[in-house]
Amino acid sequence: MNDMTPIRSGRPAQGEDGPLNVSRRGFLGGAAALVLSVTLPVGRARAQTAGAVTPGTRIDAFLEIRPDSTVLFRSAFMEGGQGVFTAMAQIVGEELDVDPANFVVESAPPGPDYLLLGGGRFTGGSMSVRSSYETMRRLGASARQMLLQAASEQLSAPAAELSTEPGRVTHAASGRHLAYGELAQAAAGLPVPENVTLRSNDTFRWIGKPVPRLDVRDKSTGRAQYAIDLRVDGMLHAAVQHSPRLGGEPEALANEAEVQAMPGVHSIHTLPGAVAVVADSWWRARRAVETLQVTWTDPAPDTPRAMPADFSSETRRETLKSTEGDGIAFEQEGDVAEAFAGAARVVEATYDAPYLVHGQLEPPSAIARWNDDGTLELWIPNQAPEMFQADAAKLAGIEPEKVIIHSPMLGGFFGRHFLYQTANPYPQAIQLSRAVGRPVKLIWSREEEFLRDAVRPLGVARLRAGLDAEGLPVALEAVAIGEGPSGRWFGRAADQADSSAVEGMAGKVYAIANRRVAQLPVDDPAIIGFWRSVGHSMNDFFYETFFDEVADAGQQDPYELRHRLLAESPRHRALLETVAELSGGWKRGPFTAGDGTTRARGVAMASPFGSEVATIAEVSLQDGEVAVHDVWVAIDPGSIVNPAVIEAQVNSAVALGLSSALLEEVVYVDGIPQARNFDGYPILRPDQMPRVHVRIVESGAPMGGIGEPGVPGVPPAVVNAASVLTGQRIRSLPLAKIELKGAEG
């Protein structure tokens, strides 16, 4: 629960008109709540200090059944618009026998109960539902079994004679029933069953159904509470001005007295790489800090991650393109060298894709409060509470157990809320709160966010293919040149390729006998981060667009060549056929559409995050720019929880993938990003959004991810179609920087 009002219901707690400081009161849900987690306090939730536990097994860490039989569920995973809270309610509710509409879901506090990813906890990689699906089903089934046992004792009836219906236990023989809220306290005292029987899939009522999102009403009515909306008693507001170039430090303030005298200003502070103003409102703090006239020092030679003064994105691109070497092999099949030596023809190309910002709707913010008992309380949007807790403790010089993390709903995701050094505001909030002796809420303006965002890496790939006499590929080699975010933040062995740098080129299922995929590491001076679909976001563009080059070189239709090379992969071949059927049948073009425009289509396949995706895009050229009219997506995540959420996620993924293909690019000059807001960083406009058609295929394969897989196929499908109209291969993004000429109309 967020440690303030309004709570998730949007209503103040009973008897409260102001902030509900429950972390100090140590009480969850109000005095009337009857729970399976009777002793679990908020703020310093028991899960934060629990000893050795098996993650996902302690019912009381996750579930609270209230007197009215509604259910509070603490999710190990963060909600950032991807629908995970609704999915968790469906999964747990299915086995617990509670309608998902009767769930309230919130982010769980740090603690060992929630480390469901092999001892870690991270919302990302489209892992939330698929990694916890079976565990959450067992959790719900265990709670239901405990409620049945409690009812058996209260009704003096054998448990075998009892059944459940949504929210209550029923004894059919006597016609009696007990609501879950009446049984929760007794059930909480029972041992968790070691073995439970899960429902048969053919009896599902909510899993696999388009259950409405739980957060729609609050979002639609403005009641949803993001970090940027939150308040605590007695807090001040802060705004910052960063050094234009990362690594610079404030040396002198020319007009400090003038700014100190501005209305509402409390104090002025120097921070590592920034200056800050604390005031009685954020607007006053921002106006004051932007008025400060700051002299910045150049970074010292040994400053870690300082941005070189001569750095530019253009020089970075050319550096990568000119870097020679075969790289470190990540994937290798067959004898690539021999196959190339015997090839009738060799096709080669170099592709690149730019730096990208995350650009989430909610600017970064943090609230920090030092409590009288020496604890530090933080309200911060994040993807990994335990990681943030540990880092905040190190910064504050206290034990992790003394850092209380609250994780509000995220106002946009895309990989932005990871633990990126220099790219998060909470270290500054901690320092400012300690300095002024009061809670401080810090918000970065959009301009500061663009200056300090952890960007998607700029990527370059060299590809070559060997063709036989029939024009079929017998060998393919792809070398990703640059640095991946996994290696940056989790470490990379010197003799191993970073999977995040090659994913999307590695793992392709086309039947090309001789293949090699490698990384040629070149450290990136920029602060790089995870971006929606990570390496797939650029590497599938490189590979799938080059695939069309290979098809053209061999005089093959790109759809038919894919179809042929998937003959031994029936799951992928069926998906390709599905997207073609969804689009009304494959036709490459150019062709004349019903409105008289000249159009073409492109196709692409992707295998991101355990799901399989096939994409077709239909485009035209209008005034030298690409217009995308329709995008068809067939997605096979193996099995599903909520088709409505899947369709919504695919739609949003298409929008993001198309925006990156057409428009987005971070340009560095003299070590500084040139765009400081969306006026200099255009994103997809509503009138540029195509019609999106989605078909979900349930192949029965292990469950895959949903949030990211829709992105990677869009850029190559669009570019492959545009290349048909222009008659030239397009190897660099975004398309807006290229003057496109060809068949228009």
Side-chain angles (χ1 to χ4, degrees):
M1 178 179 292
N2 294 327
D3 187 14
M4 52 203 69
T5 192
I7 56 177
R8 277 192 58 83
S9 68
R11 299 183 299 273
Q14 185 175 4
E16 293 285 343
D17 295 319
L20 176 62
N21 297 316
V22 289
S23 64
R24 293 181 176 180
R25 296 167 186 161
F27 194 74
L28 176 60
L34 202 1
V35 299
L36 281 173
S37 52
V38 174
T39 62
L40 182 67
V42 165
R44 299 178 120 177
R46 187 173 68 193
Q48 292 188 322
T49 57
V53 298
T54 301
T57 62
R58 286 204 308 137
I59 306 296
D60 60 352
F62 288 86
L63 285 173
E64 172 190 333
I65 297 178
R66 293 164 165 171
D68 61 359
S69 298
T70 59
V71 177
L72 172 66
F73 178 77
R74 299 177 192 86
S75 170
F77 303 100
M78 305 298 113
E79 176 63 72
Q82 79 278 38
V84 67
F85 279 7
T86 303
M88 291 297 157
Q90 289 179 255
I91 298 165
V92 176
E94 189 69 69
E95 299 292 349
L96 180 59
D97 207 350
V98 173
D99 190 322
N102 289 325
F103 273 72
V104 173
V105 186
E106 61 187 31
S107 302
D113 284 288
Y114 311 109
L115 305 180
L116 300 177
L117 297 175
R121 181 182 180 192
F122 178 73
T123 304
S126 298
M127 286 291 295
S128 300
V129 172
R130 58 182 170 135
S131 68
S132 63
Y133 180 71
E134 292 297 330
T135 300
M136 291 299 100
R137 286 185 66 189
R138 288 195 297 272
L139 186 85
S142 297
R144 175 176 174 270
Q145 190 63 38
M146 294 162 71
L147 290 162
L148 283 167
Q149 183 61 40
S152 173
E153 295 175 5
Q154 290 194 27
L155 295 174
S156 299
E161 295 182 6
L162 301 177
S163 62
T164 62
E165 53 191 51
R168 66 182 189 176
V169 176
T170 298
H171 185 231
S174 65
R176 292 177 294 168
H177 63 263
L178 290 170
Y180 281 2
E182 300 176 75
L183 296 166
Q185 189 173 37
L190 298 174
V192 177
E194 294 185 6
N195 297 296
V196 291
T197 301
L198 301 181
R199 293 185 182 274
S200 173
N201 290 13
D202 59 10
T203 67
F204 284 168
R205 299 146 301 170
W206 297 300
I207 292 178
K209 307 300 190 296
V211 171
R213 290 274 299 259
L214 301 185
D215 50 0
V216 166
R217 180 178 293 276
D218 280 357
K219 287 180 176 178
S220 301
T221 58
R223 291 185 172 187
Q225 295 288 290
Y226 301 96
I228 200 171
D229 301 314
L230 303 177
R231 302 179 60 88
V232 297
D233 287 332
M235 76 179 190
L236 293 167
H237 300 261
V240 297
Q241 179 188 158
H242 289 103
S243 168
R245 188 156 56 89
L246 184 62
E249 295 293 342
E251 184 177 44
L253 305 178
N255 59 340
E256 185 172 0
E258 172 194 343
V259 173
Q260 183 67 60
M262 291 177 69
V265 170
H266 176 278
S267 50
I268 299 171
H269 305 264
T270 58
L271 301 168
V275 293
V277 171
V278 176
D280 60 4
S281 76
W282 183 77
W283 182 246
R284 285 177 163 177
R286 180 187 176 182
R287 290 193 65 187
V289 80
E290 290 179 349
T291 302
L292 277 174
Q293 298 171 10
V294 188
T295 301
W296 301 97
T297 66
D298 289 328
D302 58 347
T303 303
R305 290 296 175 191
M307 182 63 82
D310 61 351
F311 176 78
S312 73
S313 45
E314 184 58 34
T315 57
R316 171 68 178 175
R317 183 180 296 107
E318 294 308 313
T319 296
L320 297 183
K321 285 185 174 182
S322 63
T323 300
E324 298 180 354
D326 296 329
I328 304 166
F330 181 85
E331 178 182 88
Q332 196 158 296
E333 290 289 338
D335 191 330
V336 174
E338 183 178 353
F340 273 111
R345 180 176 180 182
V346 174
V347 182
E348 297 181 281
T350 300
Y351 282 76
D352 66 83
Y355 291 115
L356 299 177
V357 299
H358 292 93
Q360 75 286 346
L361 183 62
E362 180 190 15
S365 69
I367 298 177
R369 179 174 71 191
W370 288 90
N371 296 321
D372 294 340
D373 60 1
T375 59
L376 170 64
E377 209 154 358
L378 295 171
W379 291 262
I380 46 177
N382 69 86
Q383 294 175 241
E386 287 76 14
M387 293 177 67
F388 278 71
Q389 182 187 46
D391 190 66
K394 185 185 300 183
L395 292 169
I398 59 178
E399 295 300 313
E401 295 77 22
K402 291 190 174 184
V403 178
I404 303 163
I405 299 287
H406 303 278
S407 304
M409 188 184 301
L410 304 175
F413 217 123
F414 318 137
R416 175 61 181 90
H417 301 291
F418 183 62
L419 190 65
Y420 304 120
Q421 278 83 13
T422 75
N424 283 304
Y426 71 89
Q428 297 170 340
I430 292 171
Q431 291 177 271
L432 293 171
S433 178
R434 174 176 267 166
V436 301
R438 290 173 61 180
V440 168
K441 178 179 181 179
L442 170 62
I443 301 174
W444 282 4
S445 67
R446 185 67 69 188
E447 288 75 13
E448 299 306 313
E449 157 70 344
F450 269 62
L451 189 62
R452 284 294 179 266
D453 191 10
V455 293
R456 186 192 77 170
L458 186 154
V460 168
R462 282 199 295 264
L463 300 103
R464 63 177 184 143
L467 308 183
D468 64 15
E470 298 180 15
L472 298 176
V474 295
L476 192 145
E477 182 176 46
V479 180
I481 309 169
E483 185 180 5
S486 291
R488 168 70 65 92
W489 299 110
F490 296 117
R492 183 188 76 238
D495 59 346
Q496 294 181 9
D498 178 355
S499 62
S500 68
V502 297
E503 59 186 6
M505 294 192 293
K508 289 291 187 180
V509 294
Y510 302 123
I512 302 173
N514 305 285
R515 307 185 308 276
R516 182 177 184 271
V517 178
Q519 180 199 12
L520 184 56
V522 181
D523 289 345
D524 200 319
I527 301 298
I528 61 173
F530 300 94
W531 197 84
R532 190 173 181 179
S533 78
V534 198
H536 285 277
S537 67
M538 65 178 81
N539 290 331
D540 278 292
F541 161 66
F542 300 154
Y543 190 104
E544 290 291 309
T545 312
F546 180 68
F547 189 102
D548 272 34
E549 287 203 51
V550 173
D552 286 343
Q555 298 183 328
Q556 308 283 328
D557 177 88
Y559 173 88
E560 296 299 337
L561 181 59
R562 286 176 172 84
H563 193 261
R564 178 171 180 169
L565 297 182
L566 293 174
E568 298 179 4
S569 300
R571 180 187 182 192
H572 301 85
R573 198 180 211 199
L575 196 65
L576 184 64
E577 293 169 349
T578 297
V579 78
E581 187 274 331
L582 180 65
S583 70
W586 168 250
K587 50 181 178 180
R588 192 183 190 196
F591 59 87
T592 302
D595 62 357
T597 58
T598 300
R599 300 187 184 182
R601 291 183 178 180
V603 62
M605 302 284 289
S607 302
F609 306 99
S611 291
E612 302 295 336
V613 185
T615 306
I616 291 176
E618 182 171 303
V619 314
S620 68
L621 294 181
Q622 298 178 7
D623 299 324
E625 297 181 351
V626 171
V628 183
H629 302 279
D630 291 271
V631 174
W632 295 271
V633 180
I635 181 168
D636 176 6
S639 58
I640 69 174
V641 172
N642 191 319
V645 168
I646 293 174
E647 184 165 352
Q649 284 297 294
V650 170
N651 272 268
S652 74
V654 168
L656 195 64
L658 184 56
S659 186
S660 71
L662 296 182
L663 301 163
E664 296 186 38
E665 179 180 23
V666 173
V667 176
Y668 283 91
V669 176
D670 297 330
I672 301 171
Q674 298 303 285
R676 297 292 297 275
N677 210 320
F678 289 111
D679 58 342
Y681 186 89
I683 60 175
L684 195 72
R685 303 187 310 268
D687 65 302
Q688 294 175 298
M689 183 67 188
R691 294 177 291 268
V692 180
H693 317 265
V694 182
R695 181 164 297 172
I696 302 167
V697 177
E698 290 189 79
S699 63
M703 184 179 288
I706 291 300
E708 296 167 283
V711 174
V714 176
V718 169
V719 170
N720 285 336
S723 294
V724 174
L725 297 178
T726 63
Q728 66 187 59
R729 298 311 309 181
I730 300 168
R731 297 170 177 161
S732 183
L733 295 179
L735 296 180
K737 70 181 181 182
I738 305 171
E739 184 178 354
L740 300 174
K741 296 180 180 180
E744 294 199 14

